Amino acid sequence: MRILIVEDDAMLAEAVAAAMRQSAHVVSHAASGDEADLALSTREFDLVLLDLGLPRMDGFEVLRRLRQRRSTVLVIILTARDSPGDRVKGLDLGADDYLVKPFQLAELEARVRALIRRA
């Protein structure tokens, strides 16, 4: 599975990438919203792990643009934003799941496996 991690915290991105690689996934990383938008418009991914608080373009806008292009790529939002309004907005914009930071890597891995099974 090809996964794009969109996260501006380098340490968190590397920890998540290492966990995904251990599960035999191919991982790419984008550290800003505009970098993610470019990657998603020019390359194929099976799953996006998307932070909302990104430089140069927030995660909601990345997700909005992704779905406007009619992409069906799976998206899990990983964010510190824990308000019900943000969760509803992310899911309504087309996210498949929403996980609040801090999270356990084992839970993220289980959510990834669940999405893969459904896909």
Side-chain angles (χ1 to χ4, degrees):
M1 174 166 266
R2 295 161 306 199
I3 298 175
L4 176 63
I5 298 172
V6 185
E7 173 61 60
D8 60 331
D9 180 326
M11 288 178 56
L12 177 58
E14 186 48 46
V16 171
M20 294 298 111
R21 286 185 186 112
Q22 264 189 331
S23 298
H25 301 297
V26 176
V27 178
S28 298
H29 174 245
S32 67
D34 57 348
E35 194 179 323
D37 188 51
L38 178 63
L40 290 165
S41 65
T42 59
R43 297 171 46 200
E44 293 284 326
F45 294 97
D46 302 301
L47 173 67
V48 180
L49 302 176
L50 178 63
D51 186 20
L52 294 179
L54 298 166
R56 296 192 296 277
M57 182 188 305
D58 78 0
F60 285 137
E61 183 61 22
V62 172
L63 182 56
R64 184 177 295 110
R65 290 178 182 206
L66 178 68
R67 295 307 187 218
Q68 282 177 344
R69 290 190 293 270
R70 304 279 190 239
S71 174
T72 58
V73 64
L74 299 170
V75 176
I76 299 176
I77 292 176
L78 303 176
T79 185
R81 295 184 191 176
D82 64 351
S83 77
D86 283 332
R87 282 182 262 160
V88 168
K89 182 176 180 178
L91 294 168
D92 282 348
L93 284 172
D96 298 284
D97 201 353
Y98 193 108
L99 186 58
V100 176
K101 298 174 187 174
F103 55 85
Q104 297 293 317
L105 281 174
E107 181 180 2
L108 174 60
E109 291 170 324
R111 288 173 184 250
V112 168
R113 288 190 303 272
L115 280 179
I116 293 168
R117 277 193 307 271
R118 281 189 257 147

